[in-house]
Amino acid sequence: PDVITVGDLANRMAVRGVDIIKFLMRQGMMMKINDVIDSDTAELVADEYGMSVRRVSESDIETGFLAEADDADATTPRAPVVAVMGHVDHGKTSLLDALRTTDVAAAEAGGITQHIGAYQVRLKDGQRVTFLDTPGHAAFSAMRARGANVTDIVILVVAADDGVMPQTVEAIQHAKAAGAPLIVAVNKIDKPDANPQKVVNELLQHEVIAESLGGDTQVIEVSAKARTNLDGLLDAILLQAEVMDLRANPDRSAEGVVIEAKLDKGRGPVGTVLVKRGTLRRGDIVVAGSAWGKVRALLDERNAQLEEAGPAMPVEILGLDEPPSPGEVFAVVDSEARARELTEYRHRVKREKTQAAGGAVSLADMMAKL
Ligand code: GDP
Ligand code: MG
């Protein structure tokens, strides 16, 4: 709803609320300071004071900023963003830990030192893969629910000794709904009772057809524990990424999605964001949901300070006024005024939603008492 209270409008215009109330009264509108007026009325008031009202559109609020697509000419190839899903105890965390160390610099001092919800591995030939380090279907669903899907490829981990289980099926459904292609990692092949062929057959019943059966799903046998065939899995990811021709424009203001956020005692609100397009720089003014701030520092998973982060790069940002929610869209805006305008609007919409809900409850209470 495009609305504002009389009091908020007065504050914004730096005039007295009582003067606005008097003006509205002359127009035949009886309003109190906390009453809500629509944007047409706000415009009328602003006009009276020789000011203009800029409307913040609904779509800014509901879909964030990721509505318009990049101009194809301006794009360059980017790293794939990969999520790991599968049944509990099939080895998601173990696999993410093993893949982390495939980074060419991992052995050097300053390998991946902190968990920020996502990490990027750099491979020998300069290629990169970004892994979302938040296994769990809930996080994936939360992002999709906000329309902020960031996952290009889903790695479905299936333990070779256990086979397809309920959460395996759930993961297949999530990936299908999101339109993200699957790569199956048949894990724990080091186990004596491992039966990869059984996994392949079981997957068939869920319309996941392995290449070996004439389908288009790559099935890679690995052991996260013994570190067997991690290269094979990375090759499969790169091949899939190539087919998808993933691209983004790095030469524009940054937009992306919040992966994780927390309130850090020493550092204040900290958000991990994944840049979808554009390049995020230190000093940029960022809006993330109803949080905003000037980016004071950009940090990677090695805790190294960065000057900038391009498409498909996960980074921690410091300088926000509150921790944003995971799955929320972030974008760089051109001024602090614009950032304030957007976040105030979002806070107000939130407040109104809560108030509306609260009002309904108390009304129900009253009815019950009558
Ligand atoms: P998650 O619940 O999917 O994250 O699974 P975890 O990564 O926590 O692994 C569950 C258990 O399986 C742990 O005890 C791991 O040590 C074990 N595990 C994971 N990968 C392998 C593997 O490749 N081989 C064997 N033998 N055990 C594994
Ligand atoms: Mg786990």
Side-chain angles (χ1 to χ4, degrees):
D2 241 0
V3 293
I4 188 167
T5 67
V6 172
D8 279 346
L9 182 63
N11 283 339
R12 203 78 75 77
M13 293 172 57
V15 301
R16 295 191 316 162
V18 62
D19 291 335
I20 292 185
I21 290 169
K22 278 185 191 158
F23 168 75
L24 289 172
M25 213 185 284
R26 286 200 300 275
Q27 313 303 311
M29 288 177 268
M30 308 303 284
M31 293 281 176
K32 294 190 288 293
I33 196 82
N34 288 323
D35 283 346
V36 162
I37 56 176
D38 61 21
S39 53
D40 288 336
T41 310
E43 217 153 64
L44 200 68
V45 174
D47 220 42
E48 169 75 7
Y49 288 86
M51 297 179 202
S52 67
V53 170
R54 188 145 62 94
R55 297 183 193 205
V56 183
S57 74
E58 276 284 311
S59 61
D60 276 355
I61 314 303
E62 299 304 333
T63 64
F65 304 82
L66 296 170
E68 104 202 44
D70 274 343
D71 180 359
D73 294 341
T75 61
T76 54
R78 64 165 175 85
V81 179
V82 178
V84 173
M85 294 205 259
H87 197 70
V88 64
D89 281 344
H90 280 198
K92 296 178 295 294
T93 303
S94 305
L95 192 61
L96 280 163
D97 287 345
L99 287 165
R100 204 187 299 269
T101 63
T102 60
D103 187 276
V104 283
E108 299 164 15
I112 294 172
T113 53
Q114 58 168 1
H115 169 90
I116 65 169
Y119 64 83
Q120 194 175 65
V121 291
R122 294 161 296 181
L123 307 173
K124 280 186 206 77
D125 44 8
Q127 284 176 294
R128 291 161 184 254
V129 179
T130 302
F131 289 96
L132 296 177
D133 195 4
T134 47
H137 306 177
F140 189 81
S141 304
M143 285 196 202
R144 278 209 346 108
R146 289 186 149 101
N149 194 26
V150 292
T151 307
D152 299 309
I153 298 168
V154 170
I155 303 290
L156 180 67
V157 181
V158 189
D161 59 339
D162 211 15
V164 171
M165 288 287 153
Q167 286 167 285
T168 316
V169 178
E170 204 182 290
I172 293 169
Q173 285 158 357
H174 276 308
K176 279 197 177 145
L182 280 178
I183 295 173
V184 178
V186 179
N187 190 32
K188 308 199 187 185
I189 54 156
D190 59 294
K191 285 196 147 186
D193 53 345
N195 189 349
Q197 192 53 47
K198 182 168 160 269
V199 174
V200 167
N201 292 337
E202 288 171 351
L203 287 170
L204 199 55
Q205 295 166 23
H206 301 280
E207 284 154 61
V208 176
I209 308 166
E211 284 180 333
S212 64
L213 297 178
D216 55 9
T217 305
Q218 301 186 77
V219 177
I220 315 295
E221 297 180 16
V222 298
S223 166
K225 195 175 181 185
R227 305 182 50 79
T228 308
N229 204 22
L230 299 177
D231 285 350
L233 183 55
L234 288 168
D235 284 346
I237 294 167
L238 293 173
L239 181 65
Q240 181 64 55
E242 208 178 299
V243 171
M244 294 170 83
D245 190 27
L246 303 166
R247 306 172 75 86
N249 177 5
D251 300 316
R252 49 165 293 160
S253 63
E255 292 178 359
V257 172
V258 176
I259 305 292
E260 264 186 13
K262 62 184 176 197
L263 192 58
D264 187 287
K265 265 196 190 126
R267 302 186 296 169
V270 180
T272 298
V273 300
L274 183 78
V275 178
K276 284 201 80 164
R277 54 196 195 205
T279 298
L280 182 62
R281 296 194 171 80
R282 199 147 58 91
D284 278 348
I285 296 159
V286 161
V287 172
S290 53
W292 77 278
K294 191 173 187 144
V295 178
R296 198 168 73 227
L298 289 173
L299 299 161
D300 68 8
E301 61 274 37
R302 294 159 189 83
N303 220 0
Q305 296 247 10
L306 305 176
E307 279 304 313
E308 55 178 45
M313 272 197 73
V315 275
E316 264 194 344
I317 57 174
L318 308 189
L320 293 172
D321 63 343
E322 62 180 44
S325 303
E328 253 165 351
V329 166
F330 84 89
V332 169
V333 295
D334 34 349
S335 68
E336 292 195 4
R338 175 70 175 147
R340 284 215 174 83
E341 178 182 36
L342 276 168
T343 52
E344 273 172 27
Y345 188 91
R346 288 173 184 186
H347 276 298
R348 195 164 60 244
V349 169
K350 265 192 200 170
R351 266 202 311 275
E352 272 153 19
K353 276 186 184 155
T354 345
Q355 275 166 10
V361 168
S362 60
L363 187 64
D365 274 357
M366 273 170 56
M367 300 296 279
K369 276 174 193 142
L370 285 175

